[in-house]
Amino acid sequence: MQVILANPRGFCAGVVRAIEIVERALQRYGAPVYVRHEIVHNRHVVDTLRGKGAVFVEDLDEVPEGAMTVFSAHGVARTVEEEAKRRNLPVFDATCPLVTKVHLQGRRYAKAGRTLVMIGHEGHAEVIGTRGQVDVHVHLVSTEEDVAALDLPLDTPLAYITQTTLSVDDTRGVIAALGDRFSDLIGPDVSEICYATQNRQSAVRDLCKVADLILVVGSENSSNSSRLRDLGADEGLPSYLVADGSAIDPAWFDGIERVGLTAGASAPDELVDSVIDALRKLGPVDVSQLAGVDESIQFGLPRELRDVPTPTQAAVISA
């Protein structure tokens, strides 16, 4: 069996930053560190951090007075920020800088007097946080049908923003529908849409050209991971979302010679390795990797944590 790895795959810069904030906060201040919502949408990552002393909560009223608190990579509403200030909770904000950029875009459009539309999925943590960061009502659309159902005058000055786990390709049809229906529409340039989402989707499309079956490593509640699986299915290939190697079903691979393997932006490399190990139990495996985009972007850490080594770095230093 040939296993062909997508490139890029797995962790993006925003996820790396968020996980490092939790790890370094634990190193500097000790356990427990309270994290509002899952730091990223991956069960393995959450469980690993929980084992190190992180406590995950959905509401700040679950956080004891004075306890170190981290906001997840998805961002939070202003009401959450205000509650943390009211309770004098020490907070590290692990919101992805690209999500923060969407917040700022939304505020800028609202300040200019435009009606705001967000392209995203109802109930997603990032959408909830973004809508709560803007002081005006935000209309949410996911499909072209949602655009048709917007109860707004056709000459309304409109602006759109997008959920970062949606790519240029995911949003193109909805943006076109907005432009076709409304005469005064503005929004961010396509180059401002999350690079990691677009790169991983483009890599899966390349993978579909050479594979017989697609495996995506990621959690069910990961929007970007689920979309990668859907892309494979859209190309007509059997496509499966797996948490790790334990989820592999040998029956999937009858008559399959080339397996395309990728991972969502919140899935670590070790889970990809566990899938390869599981495939090796089915027979000989030859692993190769497609050429792809080199992602060199890094996001800075909060000043208070920059000189704190992660557990891995600390082990190297002590050795």
Side-chain angles (χ1 to χ4, degrees):
M1 183 186 296
Q2 295 181 45
V3 174
I4 308 164
L5 299 173
N7 183 29
R9 64 185 179 278
F11 279 177
C12 64
V15 167
V16 170
R17 175 180 180 270
I19 294 171
E20 279 205 26
I21 285 175
V22 178
E23 288 188 330
R24 291 179 186 230
L26 286 165
Q27 286 284 103
R28 166 146 285 181
Y29 302 102
V33 166
Y34 288 81
V35 184
R36 187 189 179 278
H37 194 64
E38 293 185 349
I39 187 66
V40 296
H41 285 158
N42 186 272
R43 176 54 52 191
H44 174 82
V45 170
V46 169
D47 287 345
T48 298
L49 291 174
R50 185 180 285 118
K52 295 177 179 180
V55 178
F56 293 89
V57 301
E58 288 302 316
D59 296 297
L60 286 188
D61 59 12
E62 300 175 62
V63 179
E65 293 296 327
M68 183 59 62
T69 306
V70 177
F71 294 154
S72 80
H74 312 94
V76 299
R78 280 179 168 173
T79 53
V80 176
E81 296 174 338
E82 291 163 0
E83 182 183 356
K85 288 180 181 178
R86 180 180 58 79
R87 294 187 55 202
N88 294 315
L89 294 175
V91 171
F92 287 114
D93 189 353
T95 301
C96 174
L98 296 181
V99 174
T100 300
K101 187 175 184 180
V102 174
H103 296 171
L104 296 174
Q105 288 169 341
R107 291 178 201 161
R108 186 170 68 249
Y109 292 142
K111 188 175 181 180
R114 289 188 171 268
T115 297
L116 199 59
V117 173
M118 182 170 190
I119 304 170
H121 297 143
E122 184 72 56
H124 190 277
E126 181 186 331
V127 170
I128 294 170
T130 300
R131 295 174 91 178
Q133 281 285 335
V134 183
D135 294 329
V136 297
H137 177 71
V138 179
H139 299 270
L140 183 66
V141 296
S142 300
T143 65
E144 295 172 37
E145 290 73 22
D146 293 338
V147 173
L150 285 173
D151 186 16
L152 296 169
L154 300 185
D155 60 350
T156 301
L158 217 63
Y160 67 84
I161 53 177
T162 69
Q163 181 180 327
T164 63
T165 51
L166 301 178
S167 71
V168 175
D169 296 330
D170 293 330
T171 58
R172 183 178 288 116
V174 178
I175 293 171
L178 285 168
D180 289 343
R181 184 166 183 219
F182 297 97
S183 59
D184 187 0
L185 176 71
I186 62 173
D189 185 83
V190 293
S191 64
E192 297 183 61
I193 293 177
C194 176
Y195 77 93
T197 298
Q198 185 63 44
N199 288 348
R200 278 151 189 73
Q201 291 193 13
S202 297
V204 166
R205 288 191 173 89
D206 291 339
L207 206 56
C208 289
K209 298 174 184 176
V210 296
D212 304 317
L213 176 148
I214 299 295
L215 293 177
V216 179
V217 181
S219 293
E220 289 287 347
N221 64 336
S222 167
S223 175
N224 75 87
S225 298
S226 295
R227 181 60 182 134
L228 295 178
R229 185 262 319 276
D230 293 344
L231 283 174
D234 291 345
E235 294 295 327
L237 297 182
S239 301
Y240 304 96
L241 179 63
V242 295
D244 54 35
S246 67
I248 293 297
D249 183 346
W252 295 342
F253 305 96
D254 290 344
I256 298 296
E257 296 181 358
R258 298 176 300 276
V259 174
L261 179 57
T262 190
S266 52
D269 282 343
E270 59 205 82
L271 299 184
V272 175
D273 293 339
S274 76
V275 169
I276 295 173
D277 289 341
L279 293 176
R280 284 197 169 109
K281 293 177 182 177
L282 305 180
V285 167
D286 178 32
V287 180
S288 61
Q289 177 173 275
L290 292 181
V293 177
D294 180 23
E295 293 181 346
S296 57
I297 293 175
Q298 295 181 329
F299 294 135
L301 295 166
R303 185 180 298 105
E304 300 90 336
L305 299 178
R306 289 174 190 168
D307 63 343
V308 181
T310 63
T312 301
Q313 292 168 330
V316 172
I317 293 170
S318 63

